[in-house]
Amino acid sequence: AQRVTQPEKLLSVFKGAPVELKCNYSYSGSPELFWYVQYSRQRLQLLLRHISRESIKGFTADLNKGETSFHLKKPFAQEEDSAMYYCALSQGGKLIFGQGTELSVKP
Amino acid sequence: NAGVTQTPKFQVLKTGQSMTLQCAQDMNHNSMYWYRQDPGMGLRLIYYSASEGTTDKGEVPNGYNVSRLNKREFSLRLESAAPSQTSVYFCASSEAMGFKETQYFGPGTRLLVL
């Protein structure tokens, strides 16, 4: 069955430290993967997607088909990065979300 | 543009009561979705509408019905609310239903069923 797993419920780092939010998936086929973010009191919004291969707000994510992973990385965390992050897999347009990881960046 | 709007923002129901959650989008999108968000479970798809006039079940459809009223509006109905339906409900829309489409989310409706 298709599934997305985010093993960390909460990730706490200090400002300036590197960040890696883990995402593993199970999918038979070529996956389309996304990272969505929900800042406090804001709606869920797209952060980045695999197909675009872009860097948004300093975040990048690389698809590793061998390890079935799509980890989100940022070399230097900022306080404004504190938010809930969801990894999602597109199944014909229907999104399958992971459980979410709350990132807390401390000053 | 308001994007995706949802009403109400918050609702308290008693077990057995019914209610309809409203969703509208002004982006001329063809596809619309309803999700529920529960702690530790992420978002799960309840129902979706690939285009006006069509609706289909998602992962967790039991206890819900939907209506795609027109291209803009997609409502979610709870006929007989149960405490297990206490959740935050999100509506979303996308231009079309495809692997690469970005979904745009509403602000959510927080529902408490007593």
Side-chain angles (χ1 to χ4, degrees), chain B:
Chain B
N1 287 354
V4 180
T5 57
Q6 292 182 235
T7 54
K9 287 184 180 175
F10 180 69
Q11 184 73 45
V12 179
L13 291 179
K14 294 182 180 177
T15 297
Q17 286 185 316
S18 62
M19 81 161 294
T20 300
L21 282 67
Q22 306 287 353
C23 173
Q25 51 90 10
D26 61 4
M27 296 177 281
N28 201 35
H29 284 172
N30 289 297
S31 304
M32 298 184 74
Y33 314 82
W34 275 105
Y35 294 90
R36 58 177 290 172
Q37 181 187 43
D38 301 294
M41 303 193 73
L43 281 79
R44 292 178 292 168
L45 184 64
I46 305 171
Y47 269 94
Y48 65 97
S49 170
S51 60
E52 186 180 354
T54 70
T55 60
D56 280 292
K57 295 178 180 179
E59 183 186 351
V60 288
N62 290 348
Y64 305 95
N65 282 302
V66 290
S67 295
R68 183 75 184 266
L69 304 167
N70 47 55
K71 191 171 185 179
R72 288 188 65 245
E73 298 172 287
F74 188 38
S75 62
L76 178 72
R77 182 159 178 83
L78 287 69
E79 290 290 352
S80 180
S84 60
Q85 293 178 305
T86 292
S87 189
V88 182
Y89 291 86
F90 288 99
C91 178
S93 71
S94 62
E95 257 191 67
M97 204 152 166
F99 283 97
K100 299 165 188 176
E101 293 293 332
T102 298
Q103 291 187 18
Y104 296 85
F105 286 80
T109 294
R110 196 171 292 270
L111 177 66
L112 175 62
V113 183
L114 302 174

Side-chain angles (χ1 to χ4, degrees), chain A residues 22-106:
Chain A
K22 291 184 167 44
C23 172
N24 290 91
Y25 66 90
S26 60
Y27 185 70
S28 53
S30 288
E32 284 299 332
L33 289 150
F34 302 78
W35 277 98
Y36 279 82
V37 61
Q38 189 173 27
Y39 300 102
S40 179
R41 285 192 280 277
Q42 292 187 30
R43 61 186 69 192
L44 197 65
Q45 58 187 285
L46 178 71
L47 178 62
L48 57 79
R49 49 186 187 162
H50 157 242
I51 190 76
S52 302
R53 298 186 182 278
E54 57 197 344
S55 172
I56 304 292
K57 299 186 179 182
F59 284 98
T60 58
D62 289 317
L63 179 63
N64 186 322
K65 290 187 179 180
E67 295 183 359
T68 60
S69 68
F70 189 58
H71 302 328
L72 184 68
K73 299 177 185 178
K74 185 170 183 176
F76 307 104
Q78 303 298 315
E79 288 179 71
E80 55 265 31
D81 296 329
S82 295
M84 194 75 181
Y85 291 80
Y86 290 97
C87 183
L89 170 73
S90 177
Q91 184 183 22
K94 293 178 286 183
L95 290 178
I96 299 168
F97 283 88
Q99 302 91 324
T101 297
E102 183 181 352
L103 175 64
S104 174
V105 182
K106 297 180 179 177

